Amino acid sequence: MYELGGQVIGFSDAGSSSASKGESVSDTVQVISCYADIIAMRHPKEGAPMVASMKASIPVINAGDGGHNHPTQTLADLCTIRREMGRLDNLTVGFCGDLKFGRMVHSLISALSRHTGIKFVLISPDELRVPSYIRDEVLAHSAAAYVETDSLEAAMPELDILYMTRVQRERFFNEADYIRLKDSYILTPDKLTAAKQNMAILHPLPRVNEITVAIDEDPRACYFKQVRNGKYMRMALILMLLGIERPAKEA
Amino acid sequence: MYELGGQVIGFSDAGSSSASKGESVSDTVQVISCYADIIAMRHPKEGAPMVASMKASIPVINAGDGGHNHPTQTLADLCTIRREMGRLDNLTVGFCGDLKFGRMVHSLISALSRHTGIKFVLISPDELRVPSYIRDEVLAHSAAAYVETDSLEAAMPELDILYMTRVQRERFFNEADYIRLKDSYILTPDKLTAAKQNMAILHPLPRVNEITVAIDEDPRACYFKQVRNGKYMRMALILMLLGIERPAKEA
Amino acid sequence: MYELGGQVIGFSDAGSSSASKGESVSDTVQVISCYADIIAMRHPKEGAPMVASMKASIPVINAGDGGHNHPTQTLADLCTIRREMGRLDNLTVGFCGDLKFGRMVHSLISALSRHTGIKFVLISPDELRVPSYIRDEVLAHSAAAYVETDSLEAAMPELDILYMTRVQRERFFNEADYIRLKDSYILTPDKLTAAKQNMAILHPLPRVNEITVAIDEDPRACYFKQVRNGKYMRMALILMLLGIERPAKEA
């Protein structure tokens, strides 16, 4: 990302050393403002980047705050969808796996719901459905349609985008449910036969086993492209925040 | 600091990986001398940077060695005092809080005591007075005057500089003393009403609560400027040690 | 190493954060391929860099994989021998200390055994002799001669190269053996009196006490030169892998 010619000062250093002495986020970012030109902040507490942006004299990028949001991942996701499909509207977008705790799922739903002609297919076990605030505050106030289902196979044929996420064993109340359900949310070549030829498969990575490696060679697999797009989006974001204009760098 | 265009090789890496195998400081710096142009060394053992400077073939900056000294912080402090007050002599300098364990306090007393017309006001609970070696070896051999007191409020009106430090609960023998004393060493806007209009408030940061955030907006608060000055002093120090001359970079 | 003007992205970051979530080496290197131009990989699992090199779209340098090999150290060793002796053939090379677990010993034996006129003198306690696969697969198939001995002093006079390694207490079955043997494998000035005047002493560092510091001033001590040579070899390796040609940088 900082191949733009900049330097990275390890944030964890500043964070851990001073925070462990009881320093506030507000003080930390004021100190970092003395050293850096920009802050990319990943913080376990929701809202910390917001506080930081009010106190810092330099731009703050929210690189993930607790369970809230993950906006730079969402920019990478949007960039990938746009490059693969040529548009951000009129899409049927499936999210599959853990829709309850995946903050990138929440961020992307929120971002896509502002476009027209969007239909979400929310595929998860009952325990891992999207939180009610996503249904009540985001989806209910948008023009986007959505359905919830527990079957990836049933949903497959209509999807333009399939966004896979990890299903973690520890999210389940009991082992039996986990074993019963886990295979349903693993993407394999045979499940993919029912999919559209130009469907794009996304995954925020790292994956464990929810997409088998046999899929990697399929032209619909876009998760490594997504990483590369994430780099370009972050480079663009940094340039924009620093007020530097130059032609976009392409792969 | 290394915005001078240089690179930083994490010292903790070299330190932890090899030191954990029993490598001596002397060997470590000889190895680092092969890779780097300069060493900035923070070490828990007093005297380690001295040993390092004798063995290394490149300059060694002492960035704090145990309870001994913290010379680069002191350079930042001196730079700040000079920029704020226009001089380093004829000053009444208050140190407040933990004067026993604060190595930056000891270093700054030692540095300022070489200037004329300096008076120190050492404000601390009895348990946290400056160590006797500071009184006997540093202050007794200088022209600087000093008084010791436990009252920040009584000392306030005469101070040109107020250097605040953290008072840590674990330094106290008993909880009752801590609770009785801690509020006396917290700087609040009402305590500041008795201070000179051009007094400069310094703090090595990170702070916990010994300076309330309401003070941050006061023009006398210099602790974030101090961070910035620290960056400039370290840049100047590096340039000097590398034998590079160029016009000083100003804020 | 990256004083070539490049940047280093901490591998341990990528490794630890994602690997702890169960990411495979294969996925990790595919992700890193999106960010970096080259991968230098130190991995606890034997063969991991091999897997990585097959999956990465960028060059992978094996910087040590488990107990297997340590090829970049071996390049540093070869470079040092060549610079000190003017040749890589017709040498009597002693390895002293822990020849069982030292992967740099195994790598260097393997590399040197391809040259003509090489004789290895393998000096170790019985518990720490070279593994049988080195004798059976490497030495038996080469033209190199070798002898095994437990006496450094007896071997000293004939050596052109003395490669010292650490003897770790925990490698021994019992404390008595360790105490009885450890002094035999510590290089001291008096043991060195029997050595050739132009013998080169190498050590992969860090050392603990197996070479006394009094040796450091002896012109035969090459271990700090070896570090510097290691830097040059790695720079050369990176330039070669990136396809950049330019005159070799010399000390």
Side-chain angles (χ1 to χ4, degrees):
Chain A
M1 210 150 52
Y2 280 50
E3 75 178 35
L4 294 169
Q7 303 282 8
V8 180
I9 302 176
F11 194 37
S12 65
D13 290 10
S16 61
S17 70
S18 292
S20 66
K21 294 178 185 168
E23 187 173 55
S24 66
V25 165
S26 160
D27 274 21
T28 300
V29 299
Q30 285 182 79
V31 168
I32 293 171
S33 294
C34 297
Y35 288 108
D37 296 313
I38 210 164
I39 296 174
M41 184 182 208
R42 167 163 292 183
H43 203 280
K45 271 208 201 124
E46 287 83 0
M50 173 71 87
V51 171
S53 70
M54 293 186 309
K55 280 293 185 173
S57 59
I58 57 175
V60 175
I61 298 174
N62 178 0
D65 61 326
H68 250 199
N69 276 299
H70 199 340
T72 51
Q73 177 68 48
T74 299
L75 287 174
D77 299 342
L78 291 171
C79 175
T80 304
I81 294 172
R82 180 128 195 201
R83 289 182 78 163
E84 296 301 318
M85 310 307 291
R87 65 186 191 278
L88 288 172
D89 52 15
N90 297 305
L91 292 168
T92 299
V93 182
F95 290 94
C96 175
D98 176 357
L99 309 188
K100 184 171 182 185
F101 297 99
R103 61 186 172 190
M104 57 281 287
V105 170
H106 309 160
S107 284
L108 185 53
I109 288 177
S110 174
L112 282 174
S113 67
R114 291 167 197 160
H115 292 268
T116 55
I118 297 294
K119 179 182 176 185
F120 295 114
V121 184
L122 307 172
I123 310 152
S124 73
D126 198 52
E127 292 92 331
L128 297 175
R129 289 169 61 199
V130 293
S132 56
Y133 86 89
I134 293 286
R135 282 191 300 270
D136 299 344
E137 293 172 33
V138 179
L139 293 168
H141 292 82
S142 84
Y146 74 96
V147 293
E148 297 188 273
T149 173
D150 62 6
S151 168
L152 172 58
E153 296 192 73
M156 191 69 84
E158 66 169 316
L159 302 179
D160 297 308
I161 305 290
L162 171 57
Y163 199 100
M164 295 294 296
T165 66
R166 272 181 301 148
V167 175
Q168 292 173 276
R169 183 184 298 249
E170 60 270 29
R171 303 294 195 205
F172 282 84
F173 296 120
N174 63 67
E175 186 76 5
D177 280 349
Y178 174 75
I179 289 169
R180 177 175 54 81
L181 287 168
K182 74 180 169 65
D183 283 351
S184 322
Y185 303 104
I186 293 178
L187 188 60
T188 52
D190 59 290
K191 285 197 190 115
L192 212 50
T193 53
K196 289 184 183 172
Q197 279 310 312
N198 70 336
M199 185 183 77
I201 305 166
L202 276 68
H203 189 295
L205 302 187
R207 72 173 153 184
V208 180
N209 66 347
E210 59 277 7
I211 301 177
T212 60
V213 292
I215 305 281
D216 293 6
E217 303 305 317
D218 193 295
R220 287 168 286 194
C222 295
Y223 25 93
F224 291 118
K225 284 186 195 170
Q226 200 178 347
V227 174
R228 205 172 287 271
N229 291 333
K231 183 173 78 165
Y232 297 143
M233 284 307 286
R234 288 180 186 103
M235 286 167 72
L237 182 62
I238 290 167
L239 290 173
M240 197 192 70
L241 289 173
L242 295 176
I244 298 168
E245 269 189 68
R246 67 176 192 188
K249 206 171 167 188
E250 276 297 304
Chain B
M1 211 149 53
Y2 280 51
E3 75 177 39
L4 294 168
Q7 302 282 7
V8 180
I9 302 176
F11 193 37
S12 64
D13 289 12
S16 61
S17 70
S18 292
S20 66
K21 295 179 187 167
E23 186 172 57
S24 66
V25 166
S26 160
D27 274 21
T28 300
V29 298
Q30 285 182 79
V31 168
I32 294 172
S33 293
C34 296
Y35 288 109
D37 297 312
I38 210 165
I39 296 176
M41 183 183 209
R42 168 162 292 183
H43 203 279
K45 269 207 202 124
E46 287 81 0
M50 173 72 86
V51 171
S53 70
M54 293 186 310
K55 281 291 184 177
S57 59
I58 56 173
V60 175
I61 298 174
N62 179 359
D65 61 325
H68 250 198
N69 277 300
H70 200 340
T72 50
Q73 177 68 47
T74 300
L75 287 173
D77 298 342
L78 291 171
C79 175
T80 305
I81 294 172
R82 181 126 194 202
R83 288 181 81 163
E84 296 301 317
M85 310 305 292
R87 65 186 190 278
L88 288 172
D89 52 16
N90 297 305
L91 291 168
T92 299
V93 183
F95 289 94
C96 176
D98 176 356
L99 309 188
K100 185 171 182 184
F101 297 99
R103 61 188 172 188
M104 56 282 288
V105 170
H106 308 160
S107 284
L108 186 54
I109 288 177
S110 175
L112 282 174
S113 67
R114 293 166 196 162
H115 293 268
T116 56
I118 297 293
K119 179 183 176 185
F120 296 114
V121 184
L122 306 172
I123 310 152
S124 73
D126 198 52
E127 292 93 332
L128 297 175
R129 289 170 60 199
V130 291
S132 57
Y133 87 87
I134 293 286
R135 280 190 301 271
D136 299 344
E137 293 172 33
V138 179
L139 293 168
H141 293 83
S142 85
Y146 75 95
V147 293
E148 297 188 271
T149 174
D150 63 4
S151 168
L152 173 57
E153 296 192 74
M156 191 68 86
E158 66 170 316
L159 302 179
D160 296 308
I161 305 291
L162 172 56
Y163 198 101
M164 295 295 296
T165 67
R166 270 180 303 149
V167 175
Q168 293 173 276
R169 184 184 297 249
E170 59 271 27
R171 303 294 195 204
F172 283 86
F173 297 119
N174 63 67
E175 185 76 5
D177 280 349
Y178 174 75
I179 289 168
R180 177 174 55 82
L181 287 167
K182 73 179 170 62
D183 284 351
S184 320
Y185 302 104
I186 293 178
L187 188 60
T188 51
D190 59 291
K191 284 194 191 118
L192 212 49
T193 53
K196 289 185 183 173
Q197 279 309 311
N198 69 337
M199 186 183 77
I201 306 166
L202 276 68
H203 189 295
L205 300 187
R207 73 174 152 183
V208 181
N209 66 346
E210 59 278 7
I211 301 177
T212 59
V213 292
I215 305 281
D216 292 6
E217 302 306 317
D218 192 297
R220 287 168 287 193
C222 295
Y223 26 93
F224 291 118
K225 285 185 194 171
Q226 201 178 347
V227 174
R228 205 172 288 269
N229 290 333
K231 183 173 79 165
Y232 298 142
M233 285 306 287
R234 288 179 186 105
M235 287 168 70
L237 182 63
I238 289 166
L239 290 172
M240 197 192 70
L241 289 172
L242 295 178
I244 299 167
E245 269 189 67
R246 67 174 192 189
K249 207 170 167 188
E250 276 296 305
Chain C
M1 212 148 53
Y2 281 51
E3 76 178 36
L4 294 169
Q7 303 282 6
V8 180
I9 302 176
F11 194 38
S12 65
D13 289 10
S16 62
S17 71
S18 292
S20 66
K21 293 179 186 168
E23 187 173 55
S24 67
V25 166
S26 160
D27 274 21
T28 300
V29 300
Q30 286 182 78
V31 167
I32 293 171
S33 293
C34 296
Y35 288 109
D37 296 312
I38 209 164
I39 296 176
M41 184 182 209
R42 167 162 292 182
H43 202 279
K45 270 207 200 123
E46 287 81 1
M50 173 72 87
V51 171
S53 71
M54 294 185 313
K55 281 294 186 172
S57 59
I58 56 173
V60 175
I61 298 174
N62 178 359
D65 60 326
H68 250 199
N69 276 299
H70 200 339
T72 51
Q73 178 68 47
T74 299
L75 287 173
D77 298 342
L78 291 171
C79 175
T80 304
I81 294 173
R82 179 129 199 199
R83 289 181 79 163
E84 296 301 318
M85 310 306 292
R87 65 186 191 278
L88 288 172
D89 51 17
N90 298 304
L91 292 168
T92 299
V93 183
F95 289 94
C96 176
D98 177 357
L99 309 187
K100 185 170 182 184
F101 298 99
R103 62 187 173 191
M104 56 283 288
V105 170
H106 309 159
S107 284
L108 185 54
I109 288 176
S110 174
L112 283 174
S113 67
R114 292 166 198 164
H115 293 267
T116 56
I118 296 293
K119 178 182 176 188
F120 296 114
V121 184
L122 306 172
I123 310 152
S124 73
D126 198 53
E127 292 93 332
L128 298 176
R129 289 169 60 199
V130 293
S132 55
Y133 87 87
I134 294 287
R135 281 190 300 270
D136 299 345
E137 293 171 32
V138 180
L139 293 168
H141 292 84
S142 86
Y146 74 96
V147 293
E148 297 189 272
T149 174
D150 62 4
S151 169
L152 173 58
E153 296 191 75
M156 191 69 82
E158 66 170 317
L159 301 179
D160 297 309
I161 304 291
L162 172 55
Y163 198 101
M164 296 294 298
T165 66
R166 271 180 302 147
V167 175
Q168 292 173 276
R169 184 184 297 249
E170 60 271 28
R171 303 295 194 203
F172 283 86
F173 296 121
N174 63 67
E175 185 75 6
D177 280 349
Y178 174 75
I179 289 170
R180 177 174 55 81
L181 288 167
K182 74 179 168 63
D183 284 352
S184 320
Y185 302 104
I186 293 178
L187 188 60
T188 52
D190 59 291
K191 285 197 191 115
L192 213 49
T193 54
K196 290 185 183 171
Q197 279 308 311
N198 70 337
M199 186 183 78
I201 305 166
L202 276 68
H203 189 295
L205 301 186
R207 73 173 153 184
V208 181
N209 66 346
E210 59 278 7
I211 300 177
T212 60
V213 291
I215 305 282
D216 293 5
E217 302 306 316
D218 192 296
R220 288 168 286 195
C222 296
Y223 25 92
F224 290 119
K225 285 185 195 171
Q226 200 178 347
V227 174
R228 204 173 290 271
N229 290 333
K231 184 174 78 168
Y232 298 142
M233 286 306 287
R234 288 181 187 104
M235 287 168 70
L237 182 62
I238 290 167
L239 289 173
M240 197 193 71
L241 289 172
L242 295 178
I244 298 169
E245 269 189 68
R246 66 175 193 190
K249 207 170 166 188
E250 277 296 305

Coordinates of all heavy atoms in Angstrom, one line a residue, chain A residues 187-219:
Chain A
L187 N -18.0 -24.1 -0.3 CA -18.2 -24.0 -1.8 C -17.3 -25.0 -2.5 O -16.1 -25.0 -2.3 CB -17.9 -22.6 -2.3 CG -18.2 -22.3 -3.7 CD1 -19.7 -22.4 -4.0 CD2 -17.7 -20.9 -4.1
T188 N -17.9 -25.9 -3.3 CA -17.2 -26.9 -4.0 C -17.5 -26.8 -5.5 O -18.6 -26.2 -5.8 CB -17.6 -28.3 -3.5 OG1 -19.1 -28.4 -3.5 CG2 -17.2 -28.5 -2.1
P189 N -16.7 -27.4 -6.3 CA -17.0 -27.3 -7.8 C -18.4 -27.8 -8.2 O -19.0 -27.2 -9.0 CB -15.9 -28.2 -8.4 CG -14.7 -28.1 -7.4 CD -15.4 -28.0 -6.1
D190 N -18.8 -28.9 -7.5 CA -20.2 -29.4 -7.9 C -21.3 -28.4 -7.6 O -22.3 -28.3 -8.3 CB -20.4 -30.8 -7.3 CG -20.4 -30.8 -5.8 OD1 -19.2 -30.6 -5.3 OD2 -21.4 -30.9 -5.2
K191 N -21.2 -27.7 -6.4 CA -22.2 -26.7 -6.1 C -22.2 -25.6 -7.1 O -23.2 -24.9 -7.4 CB -22.0 -26.1 -4.7 CG -22.3 -27.1 -3.6 CD -22.5 -26.3 -2.3 CE -22.6 -27.3 -1.1 NZ -21.5 -27.3 -0.2
L192 N -21.0 -25.4 -7.7 CA -20.8 -24.2 -8.6 C -21.4 -24.5 -10.0 O -21.6 -23.6 -10.8 CB -19.3 -24.0 -8.8 CG -18.9 -22.5 -9.0 CD1 -19.5 -21.6 -8.0 CD2 -17.4 -22.4 -8.9
T193 N -21.8 -25.8 -10.3 CA -22.3 -26.1 -11.6 C -23.6 -25.4 -11.9 O -24.0 -25.1 -13.0 CB -22.5 -27.6 -11.8 OG1 -23.3 -28.1 -10.7 CG2 -21.2 -28.3 -11.8
A194 N -24.4 -25.1 -10.8 CA -25.7 -24.4 -11.0 C -25.5 -22.9 -11.1 O -26.5 -22.2 -11.4 CB -26.6 -24.8 -9.8
A195 N -24.3 -22.4 -11.0 CA -24.2 -20.9 -11.0 C -24.1 -20.4 -12.4 O -23.7 -21.1 -13.3 CB -22.9 -20.6 -10.2
K196 N -24.3 -19.1 -12.4 CA -24.1 -18.3 -13.7 C -22.7 -18.4 -14.1 O -21.8 -18.4 -13.3 CB -24.5 -16.9 -13.5 CG -26.0 -16.7 -13.4 CD -26.4 -15.1 -13.3 CE -27.9 -14.9 -13.1 NZ -28.2 -13.5 -12.8
Q197 N -22.5 -18.3 -15.4 CA -21.1 -18.4 -16.0 C -20.3 -17.2 -15.6 O -19.1 -17.3 -15.5 CB -21.1 -18.6 -17.5 CG -21.4 -20.0 -18.0 CD -20.5 -21.0 -17.3 OE1 -19.3 -20.8 -17.2 NE2 -21.1 -22.1 -16.8
N198 N -20.9 -16.1 -15.4 CA -20.1 -14.9 -15.1 C -20.3 -14.4 -13.6 O -20.0 -13.3 -13.3 CB -20.5 -13.7 -16.0 CG -21.9 -13.2 -15.8 OD1 -22.7 -13.9 -15.2 ND2 -22.1 -12.0 -16.2
M199 N -20.8 -15.3 -12.8 CA -20.9 -15.0 -11.4 C -19.5 -14.7 -10.8 O -18.5 -15.3 -11.2 CB -21.5 -16.1 -10.6 CG -21.8 -15.8 -9.1 SD -22.5 -17.2 -8.2 CE -21.0 -18.2 -8.0
A200 N -19.4 -13.7 -9.9 CA -18.1 -13.4 -9.3 C -18.1 -13.9 -7.8 O -19.0 -13.6 -7.1 CB -17.8 -11.9 -9.3
I201 N -17.1 -14.7 -7.4 CA -17.0 -15.2 -6.1 C -16.0 -14.4 -5.3 O -14.9 -14.2 -5.7 CB -16.5 -16.7 -6.1 CG1 -17.4 -17.6 -6.9 CG2 -16.4 -17.2 -4.6 CD1 -16.7 -18.9 -7.2
L202 N -16.5 -13.8 -4.2 CA -15.7 -12.9 -3.4 C -15.5 -13.6 -2.0 O -16.3 -14.4 -1.6 CB -16.3 -11.5 -3.2 CG -16.0 -10.5 -4.4 CD1 -16.7 -10.9 -5.6 CD2 -16.4 -9.1 -3.9
H203 N -14.4 -13.2 -1.3 CA -14.2 -13.7 0.0 C -13.2 -12.7 0.6 O -12.2 -12.3 0.0 CB -13.6 -15.1 0.0 CG -13.5 -15.7 1.4 ND1 -12.7 -15.2 2.4 CD2 -14.1 -16.8 1.9 CE1 -12.8 -16.0 3.4 NE2 -13.7 -17.0 3.2
P204 N -13.4 -12.2 1.8 CA -12.5 -11.2 2.4 C -11.1 -11.8 2.8 O -10.2 -11.0 3.0 CB -13.2 -10.7 3.6 CG -14.2 -11.8 4.0 CD -14.5 -12.5 2.7
L205 N -11.0 -13.1 2.8 CA -9.7 -13.7 3.2 C -9.3 -13.3 4.7 O -9.7 -12.2 5.1 CB -8.6 -13.5 2.3 CG -8.8 -13.9 0.8 CD1 -7.5 -13.8 0.0 CD2 -9.3 -15.4 0.7
P206 N -8.6 -14.1 5.4 CA -8.2 -15.4 5.1 C -9.4 -16.4 5.1 O -10.3 -16.3 5.8 CB -7.2 -15.8 6.2 CG -7.6 -15.0 7.4 CD -8.2 -13.7 6.8
R207 N -9.2 -17.4 4.2 CA -10.2 -18.5 4.2 C -9.6 -19.7 5.0 O -8.4 -19.8 5.2 CB -10.6 -19.0 2.8 CG -9.4 -19.8 2.2 CD -9.8 -20.4 0.9 NE -8.6 -20.6 0.1 CZ -8.5 -21.0 -1.2 NH1 -9.7 -21.3 -1.8 NH2 -7.4 -21.1 -1.8
V208 N -10.5 -20.5 5.5 CA -10.0 -21.8 6.1 C -10.3 -22.9 5.1 O -9.5 -23.3 4.3 CB -10.6 -22.0 7.5 CG1 -10.0 -23.3 8.0 CG2 -10.2 -20.9 8.4
N209 N -11.6 -23.3 5.1 CA -11.9 -24.4 4.1 C -13.2 -24.1 3.4 O -13.8 -25.0 2.8 CB -11.9 -25.8 4.8 CG -13.0 -25.8 5.8 OD1 -13.6 -24.8 6.2 ND2 -13.3 -27.0 6.3
E210 N -13.8 -22.9 3.6 CA -15.1 -22.7 3.1 C -15.2 -22.5 1.6 O -16.2 -22.5 1.0 CB -15.8 -21.5 3.9 CG -15.0 -20.2 3.7 CD -13.9 -20.1 4.7 OE1 -13.6 -21.1 5.4 OE2 -13.2 -19.0 4.8
I211 N -14.0 -22.3 1.0 CA -13.9 -22.5 -0.5 C -12.8 -23.5 -0.8 O -11.7 -23.2 -0.4 CB -13.6 -21.1 -1.1 CG1 -14.6 -20.1 -0.8 CG2 -13.5 -21.3 -2.6 CD1 -14.3 -18.7 -1.4
T212 N -13.1 -24.6 -1.4 CA -12.1 -25.6 -1.6 C -11.1 -25.0 -2.7 O -11.5 -24.2 -3.5 CB -12.7 -26.9 -2.2 OG1 -13.4 -26.6 -3.4 CG2 -13.7 -27.5 -1.2
V213 N -9.9 -25.5 -2.6 CA -8.8 -24.9 -3.4 C -9.1 -25.2 -4.9 O -8.6 -24.6 -5.8 CB -7.4 -25.4 -3.0 CG1 -7.0 -24.8 -1.7 CG2 -7.3 -26.9 -3.0
A214 N -9.9 -26.3 -5.2 CA -10.2 -26.6 -6.5 C -10.9 -25.4 -7.2 O -10.8 -25.3 -8.5 CB -11.1 -27.9 -6.6
I215 N -11.6 -24.6 -6.5 CA -12.3 -23.4 -7.1 C -11.3 -22.4 -7.6 O -11.6 -21.6 -8.4 CB -13.2 -22.8 -6.0 CG1 -14.2 -23.8 -5.4 CG2 -14.0 -21.6 -6.6 CD1 -15.3 -24.2 -6.3
D216 N -10.1 -22.4 -7.0 CA -9.1 -21.3 -7.3 C -8.9 -21.1 -8.8 O -8.7 -19.9 -9.2 CB -7.8 -21.5 -6.6 CG -7.9 -21.4 -5.0 OD1 -9.0 -21.3 -4.5 OD2 -6.8 -21.5 -4.4
E217 N -8.9 -22.2 -9.5 CA -8.6 -22.1 -10.9 C -9.8 -21.6 -11.8 O -9.7 -21.3 -12.9 CB -8.1 -23.4 -11.4 CG -6.9 -24.0 -10.7 CD -5.7 -23.0 -10.7 OE1 -5.5 -22.4 -11.8 OE2 -5.1 -22.8 -9.7
D218 N -11.0 -21.7 -11.2 CA -12.2 -21.3 -11.9 C -12.2 -19.8 -12.1 O -11.8 -19.0 -11.3 CB -13.4 -21.6 -11.0 CG -14.7 -21.5 -11.7 OD1 -15.1 -20.4 -12.2 OD2 -15.4 -22.5 -11.9
P219 N -12.5 -19.4 -13.4 CA -12.4 -17.9 -13.7 C -13.4 -17.1 -12.8 O -13.2 -15.9 -12.7 CB -12.8 -17.9 -15.2 CG -13.4 -19.2 -15.5 CD -12.9 -20.2 -14.5

